[in-house]
Amino acid sequence: MSEIIRFENVSFAYDENAPEALRGVSLGIERGSFTAVLGHNGSGKSTLAKHMNAILLPTRGRVLVNGTDTADESALLKIRSTVGMVFQNPDNQIVASIVEDDVAFAPENLGVPSAEIRRRVDAALECVGMYDYRLHAPHLLSGGQKQRVAIAGVIAMQPECIVLDEPTAMLDPAGRREVLSAVEAMRRERGMTVVLITHHMDECVGADRLLVMSGGEVAMDGTPHEVFSHPAELHALGLTVPDTRLLLDGLAAEGWDLPADALTVSECARVIADFMLKEKREKCLHRP
Ligand code: ADP
Ligand code: MG
């Protein structure tokens, strides 16, 4: 795999006197990978995200997208059509009064021919499960539906990479699930590179890689299994471990001998079911 985004010793301050919001960040995002970024408020997640498609430019260091420096003004369109961005508030991202017009907005601005736009809009709405709502008014949809329309708008631009900055923060649990399954569909059906910024631990467990930001630096970097096996270090950064991990630790404290590395709900359910089956079998064997 090759890298689609590279940060080279990137520092950034919002103004001359402000403390740096990014401090010497170096990292690469592999093409086709799913990276989650976690960190408490103010740790620099959004600042990091905005460097990925030239919304912000480094104060020092540089960011390369497919090898092109994001500071190269003549490459701005190319960079923006390679890396798409979804923000926290779906209401701020809706521009049209009909769902399909909204999704068509960005590709229209990129000058895509209209037959091709039709095809892209339908495919993008299918991908996020919003095709049946194509003629609806976006402002009447639920938060989760609006956010899926915003994601469809980015998919319709056909970027190689999508960066989502806390896309579920303003949604209820049902909306969160809808958005996460749209992200999953995008990866599965389109092989897109995904960077998901979140403060929900459990949204990170399916990622290939987890970056933890603190004070403008990458404080931890590894697979979710690796990162979540350092609860004390996470705690020091103001974070905790996923509920699945807390459940397994709690059961272990009660004397259940369980593998502690199950993170997703289905992995967790499987290790608990396996344990209970084993217990049951042993009880049967030892019955007088
Ligand atoms: P996060 O997304 O992790 O909450 P941010 O990247 O938004 O963190 O913020 C990092 C730091 O930069 C914080 O100290 C924040 O106060 C500051 N900051 C963020 N946006 C701005 C801005 N537009 N102007 C000045 N300072 C900002
Ligand atoms: Mg933020």
Side-chain angles (χ1 to χ4, degrees):
M1 275 205 292
S2 62
E3 284 175 354
I4 182 162
I5 300 172
R6 163 132 298 268
F7 281 63
E8 288 179 352
N9 206 14
V10 174
S11 294
F12 177 82
Y14 280 93
D15 65 65
E16 279 168 43
N17 304 315
E20 287 182 333
L22 288 182
R23 296 195 292 155
V25 173
S26 292
L27 60 89
I29 302 291
E30 296 286 345
R31 203 176 300 282
S33 64
F34 175 13
T35 305
V37 181
L38 195 60
H40 60 74
N41 260 345
S43 59
K45 304 183 298 298
S46 294
T47 309
L48 183 82
K50 287 174 180 160
H51 277 78
M52 293 182 178
N53 76 344
I55 296 175
L56 294 176
L57 298 174
T59 310
R60 276 180 293 123
R62 56 179 198 159
V63 177
L64 304 174
V65 170
N66 275 339
T68 302
D69 193 328
T70 55
D72 176 357
E73 267 175 52
S74 68
L76 189 61
L77 191 61
K78 197 172 89 184
I79 287 160
R80 294 268 167 90
S81 48
T82 304
V83 181
M85 189 86 65
V86 175
F87 299 96
Q88 199 174 89
N89 189 342
D91 289 320
N92 296 344
Q93 299 174 77
I94 287 168
V95 291
S97 55
I98 299 173
V99 164
E100 62 179 13
D101 292 348
D102 195 82
V103 176
F105 183 78
E108 267 165 6
N109 279 342
L110 292 176
V112 177
S114 52
E116 167 71 7
I117 289 181
R118 177 79 265 157
R119 202 186 57 72
R120 286 194 192 187
V121 167
D122 289 351
L125 284 169
E126 289 273 9
C127 184
V128 300
M130 287 298 289
Y131 183 75
D132 292 345
Y133 290 85
R134 64 195 178 281
L135 299 176
H136 285 228
H139 68 277
L140 298 178
L141 300 175
S142 72
Q145 290 172 327
K146 284 181 197 166
Q147 198 58 301
R148 286 188 285 154
V149 171
I151 293 172
V154 174
I155 294 177
M157 290 196 300
Q158 298 189 341
E160 291 174 60
C161 176
I162 183 164
V163 179
L164 305 109
D165 188 358
E166 303 208 39
T168 65
M170 304 185 79
L171 307 181
D172 60 14
R176 275 181 64 197
R177 276 194 300 276
E178 289 167 21
V179 165
L180 293 174
S181 58
V183 171
E184 179 50 37
M186 203 158 63
R187 272 171 51 70
R188 198 178 50 238
E189 292 166 20
R190 304 192 154 238
M192 285 168 71
T193 309
V194 173
V195 178
L196 176 67
I197 292 169
T198 178
H199 61 253
H200 293 287
M201 315 292 148
D202 49 345
E203 291 181 4
C204 303
V205 299
D208 302 315
R209 180 185 184 191
L210 174 54
L211 301 171
V212 182
M213 297 288 298
S214 178
E217 290 177 309
V218 177
M220 299 172 82
D221 179 358
T223 65
H225 280 291
E226 286 162 358
V227 171
F228 290 131
S229 56
H230 296 92
E233 209 170 313
L234 282 165
H235 193 74
L237 299 174
L239 299 167
T240 166
V241 295
D243 291 342
T244 45
R245 183 63 200 246
L246 291 176
L247 174 63
L248 293 178
D249 287 350
L251 291 171
E254 294 293 322
W256 291 45
D257 179 22
L258 297 171
D261 62 347
L263 278 182
T264 63
V265 170
S266 55
E267 282 174 337
C268 188
R270 186 176 41 74
V271 300
I272 293 173
D274 286 352
F275 178 84
M276 293 179 76
L277 271 178
K278 202 173 103 214
E279 286 270 289
K280 212 169 167 184
R281 225 179 285 128
E282 279 170 7
K283 275 203 189 105
C284 288
L285 285 174
H286 294 119
R287 196 173 285 163

